[in-house]
Amino acid sequence: MKIVLFGRGGKVGSVLAPALESAGHELVDRSPAEAAVDFTAADAVVANVLDCLDAGIPAVIGTSGADLGPVDARARERGLPVFFAPNFALGAVLMMRFAAEAAAYLPRAEIVELHNEAKKDAPSGTALATADLIPGEVAIHSVRLPGLVAHQEVLFGGDGQLLTIRHDTYSRDAYVPGVLLALEKLRSLPPGLTTGLDSLL
């Protein structure tokens, strides 16, 4: 597949570019692309994807912190699919699934998410998506420090016990299988925005 990769020189893009090529995809400029992948910044992603949709190119988005409402509307208007995941690591998706199951039995929960200090959005998209799966008010604690990549734990408290569900990303290579899966499924998705890697598993 011919792919335009936005954010190629960034932290995720620099890992993703060679991985996409190793998987048999070709990285191209916008005009001949069959799909777009965006790992940029919250203030750039919407314009990037709208331009692609206007050119007839569906997209996979890994950038969090932006309002994707305009993207959803334009994708529906153009009859094209767009996929967004707050986290492309398969282990993180499983962490969220397990947390949703645990909430049925231990409803008191808090989330601690830790990322590199360069991450601008706080709470992270993953933490917000996890909180949405747990009924009631869920406090989210955000930590931004050098040396971290992406880490999250969901703490469930009960009488005399604590359940911790944790996922750690030590390398951005963890996102590659999820992005490849999203690209494989992209054309089979309905027009508009589909959210969450869990919907593809």
Side-chain angles (χ1 to χ4, degrees):
M1 185 184 298
K2 294 180 178 178
I3 298 170
V4 57
L5 175 59
F6 294 100
R8 188 172 181 170
K11 290 180 178 178
V12 176
S14 60
V15 171
L16 194 53
L20 289 171
E21 291 176 325
S22 293
H25 298 292
E26 180 185 353
L27 298 182
V28 297
D29 291 330
R30 201 168 313 188
S31 53
E34 299 168 83
V37 176
D38 188 292
F39 279 87
T40 56
D43 59 358
V45 59
V46 173
N48 289 343
V49 176
L50 291 179
D51 285 348
C52 287
L53 292 171
D54 287 342
I57 303 168
V60 171
I61 300 172
T63 305
S64 60
D67 174 11
L68 298 179
V71 169
D72 183 35
R74 187 75 56 86
R76 291 176 189 277
E77 179 185 311
R78 300 289 192 228
L80 292 168
V82 175
F83 178 80
F84 165 71
N87 198 315
F88 279 88
L90 297 177
V93 174
L94 292 172
M95 170 198 61
M96 293 165 65
R97 183 181 288 179
F98 299 155
E101 292 181 18
Y105 303 96
L106 296 167
R108 295 284 304 279
E110 298 201 8
I111 297 170
V112 181
E113 59 96 354
L114 309 94
H115 285 81
N116 186 272
E117 62 186 348
K119 184 170 179 63
K120 293 179 178 156
D121 57 314
S124 69
T126 303
L128 291 171
T130 306
D132 285 343
L133 297 171
I134 301 170
E137 293 293 321
V138 180
I140 301 174
H141 309 276
S142 299
V143 177
R144 299 290 178 266
L145 289 171
L148 299 170
V149 178
H151 315 266
Q152 179 173 296
E153 58 184 18
V154 189
L155 305 169
F156 291 93
D159 293 338
Q161 61 182 319
L162 175 71
L163 171 64
T164 302
I165 301 172
R166 182 178 175 108
H167 179 260
D168 295 286
T169 300
Y170 298 109
S171 164
R172 290 167 180 88
D173 293 314
Y175 306 137
V176 172
V179 173
L180 292 175
L181 176 63
L183 286 168
E184 177 188 334
K185 304 281 190 182
L186 184 61
R187 286 286 183 179
S188 67
L189 298 176
L193 182 67
T194 299
T195 301
L197 202 59
D198 193 57
S199 64
L200 304 184
L201 297 177

